[in-house]
Structure formats: C-alpha cells, structure tokens
Amino acid sequence: MTDRIWSREFAKWREAAGWPNTEHAGFHALRHFFATVLITNGAEPQEVQRALRHKSLSLTLETYVGWRPKRTKTPGESSVGG
C-alpha cells in the first residue's frame, strides 16, 4: 500500500470519525506523532529511523532532535567523560 493510498483511506476514516480536516490533520501527521511518542519514551534514534523507513539517520535526527529527552545523570555518575 502506498502513502497516497493510506492518506486517502485515512481521510475517509477521519471524516467518518468527525475529526476536523485541518492543514495538519493528514496521515503524515500520524507518522510525526508516532515518531515523537517513540523518541519521548526513550527509543533510540536508529529504532525510529527503521520504524519510519528513513534512508538516513541524519534525516531522523534533523526532524526529531528537538523531541529527544534530555539525558539526566544517575546518582554517582561522573560528569567527566560521560
């Protein structure tokens, strides 16, 4: 199934569910939501890249780096080299 077919089907489902048809309400928005949920829940960027079928890791990082949670130090972790 192509992205175009998925988008057309999603538009039908969205309309049937009564969801608004705004500029950012398409099927592609679900991909962004999915990726954002993965990243904010600690998924590795390589896992997100594979899930979204991005050809390069840099595309994934450039698109979603702002959603990556900040790494916090664990008790006893040195700030030198880590």
Side-chain angles (χ1 to χ4, degrees), residues 24-68:
H24 300 288
F27 179 73
H28 199 78
L30 287 180
R31 283 179 53 90
H32 286 298
F33 175 75
F34 175 62
T36 302
V37 168
L38 289 175
I39 289 172
T40 56
N41 283 288
E44 292 296 323
Q46 294 85 350
E47 294 171 330
V48 178
Q49 175 195 3
R50 282 190 297 273
L52 297 179
R53 298 180 319 197
H54 285 163
K55 289 186 179 192
S56 70
L57 181 58
S58 63
L59 174 61
T60 306
L61 292 172
E62 289 169 8
T63 306
Y64 299 105
V65 72
W67 292 102
R68 244 180 129 195

